[in-house]
Amino acid sequence: MGKSFSKIYPQKWVQIAILIGFCIILYFLNLGRWDLWSPDEPRYAQVAKEMINRGDWILMHYNGNTYADKPPLFFWLIAFSSFLWQGFSSFSVRFPAAFFGTLTVILTFFLGKTLYSSRTGFLSGLILATSLEFSYLSTRANIDTTLTFLTTASLLCFFQWYRRGQDKAKDMKKVELGVKVEEKAKMRNLLIYGFYIGMALATLAKGPVGFILPLSVSLIYLVFQKDWGGMRRMRLLSGMALFLVIVLLWYLPALFEGGEDYLQATLFKHSIDRYAQGWSKGRPIYYYLYNFPIDFLPWVFFIPAAVAYGFSREKVEKRGEFLFLFMWFALIFIFFSLSKGKRAIYLLPLYPAVSLMVGKLWDDFISTPMDHFRNAWISVPLYGLMGVVLVSGAALPWVLSIKFPSYLPYGLPITFLLVGGSLVMFVLYRFKNYGAILFLLIGMVAGGYFYTSRVIFPLVNQYKSARFLSQEITARIQPGEKLAVYGRVSTGPFNYYTGIVPILDLADMRDLFSILESSERIFCLLEYKDFSQFRKMEGRPKVQLISRRMVGDDEIVLVSNR
């Protein structure tokens, strides 16, 4: 079985071509079939649009005001993509995320090849590409796939530098064969500076986490390896100087233009305060213990086996490689668990590491005898996964018939995929065809996500998108009339789809009363629950209800005072 499997894709370039083609189909095909959805997509698109309209590529703006929430790299990429694809569209705005998601899959292949073998890298790339959260974010205009690519590139440079530095005996042997050690030393220097360049670009993508994550992983790994000389050879002073030069090439002009308020917002409010105080997305410390397993489906079932196998006696000769991956995974998980502010997307930079851990497990499971290990660690989660898939597929029509009866016909293909796939997996396992099980599982996830994103997403788009409500606004509002939002309603989706900048952002009910009592015509968007509260108030201004629509998870109403 192992020999036959090893001959499936014997050449590295074939494996890379398959991974690229797989990602093109999964991420790029029909990427623009649904609108930009809140909270992030239309806001990021609007920042990039205002960047282009103002011609200011240093200090970003959102709704006409200075935008200090994120650094500029991702918005530069959206702006470049809009130029490349001739305008702003769902496809052009999402293109950078899909592009860097694909590149991260390829980097995972190369990292797997560096740590273990090209086959491990290939399987790990497929596992990463089909993990639930990573595939979803690779088809959304979010910064995190770009951040994940850059942190992965940084850590890949670090480990290649570390491995080359450890191989002194081979270097000396090559001296005897006439190979210059200086050439390898130059390559090691390029790799370690690539580590710092990757950190700098990651910082320009999403702030301090861009350097905190890879630097922490690399330094703590060297501590655990007790390689104090490695720390001295890391060129920390010159490397961090290069890092600062790259970051400050943008940050200093931005500070000069934005002033002290911009410094306070970027350095404290949107970094230190957000991490320590959790004023945005505050959640308990155990949040990721139940959130991450859902986001890493279906491969989360095999993480305990991958950890046990990586630390087992059978893998002593590769313990250093596994320790690197495990620390990469664990440190990022702990770092964000300790943060007060939490979102599922924050953990994305650890996905390549955990995918490689699971990929190595599956590679050896398929290719080598593991009978003593399989029964205890692999069979149980595999049977558990088959049971969960079977039950989920069988229950889906019942759930849809109760909650969303009109969508029942669209759920039947997913039901057939889940039920049929689980039964086939059971048969394949009885015949010990483990390679076929893996590729069937990859195909099921890819097929299910492709169907969901290309069929289900466009169907629910009318309830998720702000475009339809924006069209009603633009059909009624006249030049000079104002648009306002109240409460939790974000300006971003309506900036983007109406083209109105600025939109008045009201946080207090007194401000809402005041503006609706204006002699000029005002349109206002607010959540239906806030509108219900407004209607119960005595002495409220008279308003006309124009429209009521779902936008994402919120029911939004459009009112006017005339």
Side-chain angles (χ1 to χ4, degrees):
M1 178 64 201
K3 292 182 179 179
S4 63
F5 178 75
S6 65
K7 294 179 180 179
I8 295 177
Y9 305 118
Q11 298 184 23
K12 181 176 71 174
W13 69 267
V14 176
Q15 295 172 342
I16 295 173
I18 291 173
L19 289 174
I20 292 174
F22 185 79
C23 290
I24 287 174
I25 295 172
L26 193 61
Y27 299 156
F28 289 92
L29 197 60
N30 297 322
L31 185 61
R33 286 201 62 198
W34 65 99
D35 294 330
L36 302 179
W37 291 351
S38 298
D40 296 327
E41 289 192 298
R43 179 174 71 252
Y44 292 163
Q46 182 61 27
V47 173
K49 185 182 286 189
E50 292 189 36
M51 177 188 292
I52 292 175
N53 292 341
R54 286 173 170 267
D56 189 347
W57 298 80
I58 299 298
L59 193 64
M60 295 163 294
H61 291 80
Y62 169 60
N63 193 33
N65 302 312
T66 299
Y67 181 75
D69 196 4
K70 298 290 188 295
L73 181 60
F74 187 68
F75 308 107
W76 291 342
L77 293 171
I78 293 177
F80 176 74
S81 179
S82 70
F83 171 78
L84 183 67
W85 301 106
Q86 300 182 346
F88 281 86
S89 64
S90 296
F91 181 87
S92 67
V93 173
R94 292 188 179 117
F95 179 81
F99 180 72
F100 283 101
T102 301
L103 289 184
T104 306
V105 170
I106 303 304
L107 275 188
T108 301
F109 166 81
F110 281 110
L111 189 52
K113 181 177 179 296
T114 299
L115 293 168
Y116 299 113
S117 68
S118 62
R119 189 173 61 208
T120 297
F122 176 68
L123 296 180
S124 302
L126 291 173
I127 287 169
L128 175 65
T130 52
S131 59
L132 183 63
E133 184 74 356
F134 188 87
S135 56
Y136 179 61
L137 291 178
S138 294
T139 55
R140 280 184 60 84
N142 279 89
I143 299 174
D144 298 86
T145 49
T146 304
L147 173 69
T148 301
F149 165 76
L150 293 170
T151 54
T152 303
S154 180
L155 287 168
L156 174 60
C157 287
F158 166 79
F159 193 84
Q160 287 191 333
W161 165 84
Y162 179 75
R163 169 168 282 186
R164 288 170 185 261
Q166 291 294 300
D167 207 6
K168 293 180 180 179
K170 291 183 179 179
D171 281 347
M172 295 306 297
K173 185 177 180 180
K174 289 183 178 181
V175 170
E176 299 173 3
L177 297 174
V179 178
K180 295 182 179 179
V181 177
E182 290 80 3
E183 293 180 1
K184 293 204 71 177
K186 289 180 181 178
M187 177 56 67
R188 288 198 296 271
N189 289 339
L190 288 175
L191 287 170
I192 196 59
Y193 284 122
F195 167 68
Y196 293 106
I197 292 171
M199 288 198 306
L201 295 176
T203 303
L204 288 175
K206 207 173 181 181
V209 294
F211 76 86
I212 290 173
L213 301 183
L215 190 61
S216 300
V217 171
S218 58
L219 290 177
I220 296 177
Y221 175 71
L222 290 176
V223 169
F224 270 79
Q225 293 291 87
K226 298 181 180 179
D227 190 351
W228 317 116
M231 290 188 182
R232 291 192 297 269
R233 295 190 302 270
M234 276 186 72
R235 301 179 180 269
L236 273 169
L237 289 178
S238 58
M240 291 307 294
L242 176 62
F243 163 84
L244 287 172
V245 167
I246 295 172
V247 173
L248 292 178
L249 281 174
W250 161 74
Y251 194 54
L252 287 179
L255 285 180
F256 179 78
E257 192 175 339
E260 184 178 351
D261 290 342
Y262 191 75
L263 174 66
Q264 292 288 333
T266 54
L267 190 59
F268 296 105
K269 181 180 178 182
H270 292 290
S271 54
I272 298 174
D273 285 354
R274 174 174 288 181
Y275 182 87
Q277 303 299 327
W279 53 266
S280 176
K281 310 295 181 183
R283 290 188 171 93
I285 193 170
Y286 53 83
Y287 171 73
Y288 290 122
L289 292 177
Y290 63 83
N291 177 266
F292 173 71
I294 297 173
D295 290 338
F296 197 62
L297 285 172
W299 309 108
V300 68
F301 282 86
F302 307 105
I303 292 179
V307 173
Y309 184 59
F311 285 116
S312 64
R313 287 179 295 176
E314 289 79 1
K315 305 307 296 178
V316 170
E317 75 283 358
K318 288 290 185 180
R319 184 65 52 79
E321 287 82 349
F322 180 80
L323 181 64
F324 178 67
L325 295 176
F326 181 77
M327 295 188 65
W328 179 352
F329 166 74
L331 284 171
I332 295 178
F333 192 95
I334 293 170
F335 176 82
F336 284 113
S337 293
L338 294 176
S339 170
K340 293 291 185 179
K342 297 179 179 68
R343 291 182 68 186
I345 60 177
Y346 293 170
L347 290 188
L348 205 68
L350 64 75
Y351 277 57
V354 71
S355 297
L356 283 160
M357 290 161 56
V358 174
K360 177 58 178 172
L361 172 75
W362 269 98
D363 185 12
D364 288 359
F365 179 47
I366 292 168
S367 306
T368 60
M370 289 176 60
D371 292 338
H372 61 288
F373 187 85
R374 183 180 68 240
N375 292 333
W377 289 101
I378 301 178
S379 298
V380 172
L382 192 54
Y383 276 120
L385 175 61
M386 286 186 258
V388 169
V389 172
L390 179 63
V391 172
S392 300
L396 183 61
W398 176 72
V399 173
L400 289 176
S401 65
I402 295 175
K403 292 185 174 293
F404 309 102
S406 61
Y407 288 94
L408 179 60
Y410 299 102
L412 294 180
I414 300 295
T415 295
F416 294 142
L417 178 70
L418 295 177
V419 173
S422 63
L423 295 176
V424 172
M425 277 196 291
F426 179 79
V427 173
L428 291 173
Y429 188 80
R430 300 301 295 174
F431 284 97
K432 299 184 178 181
N433 199 335
Y434 308 130
I437 292 175
L438 175 63
F439 285 107
L440 174 61
L441 187 55
I442 290 169
M444 288 172 60
V445 176
Y449 182 71
F450 185 87
Y451 176 81
T452 300
S453 60
R454 273 58 177 185
V455 177
I456 304 301
F457 284 2
L459 283 174
V460 302
N461 184 60
Q462 59 180 316
Y463 307 109
K464 299 284 287 183
S465 173
R467 176 169 62 89
F468 304 98
L469 192 52
S470 297
Q471 288 172 344
E472 297 189 47
I473 295 170
T474 54
R476 289 172 170 80
I477 197 167
Q478 299 299 313
E481 295 178 341
K482 294 179 180 178
L483 175 65
V485 297
Y486 170 75
R488 293 177 59 252
V489 179
S490 173
T491 65
F494 302 100
N495 287 135
Y496 181 78
Y497 280 113
T498 66
I500 298 173
V501 177
I503 296 173
L504 302 176
D505 195 352
L506 311 174
D508 190 273
M509 187 64 74
R510 289 172 296 181
D511 295 332
L512 179 63
F513 271 50
S514 176
I515 198 167
L516 291 176
E517 289 171 346
S518 171
S519 59
E520 57 184 334
R521 191 182 189 193
I522 301 292
F523 292 87
C524 186
L525 295 160
L526 64 164
E527 292 185 0
Y528 182 74
K529 61 182 180 181
D530 290 330
F531 180 64
S532 299
Q533 180 184 359
F534 171 81
R535 287 194 298 184
K536 295 175 183 178
M537 293 182 173
E538 296 182 1
R540 62 175 177 83
K542 292 183 179 180
V543 296
Q544 176 185 358
L545 176 61
I546 298 173
S547 182
R548 177 179 169 183
R549 271 187 172 274
M550 289 297 300
V551 178
D553 298 328
D554 301 314
E555 191 173 14
I556 307 296
V557 298
L558 172 64
V559 300
S560 172
N561 63 347
R562 297 284 184 273

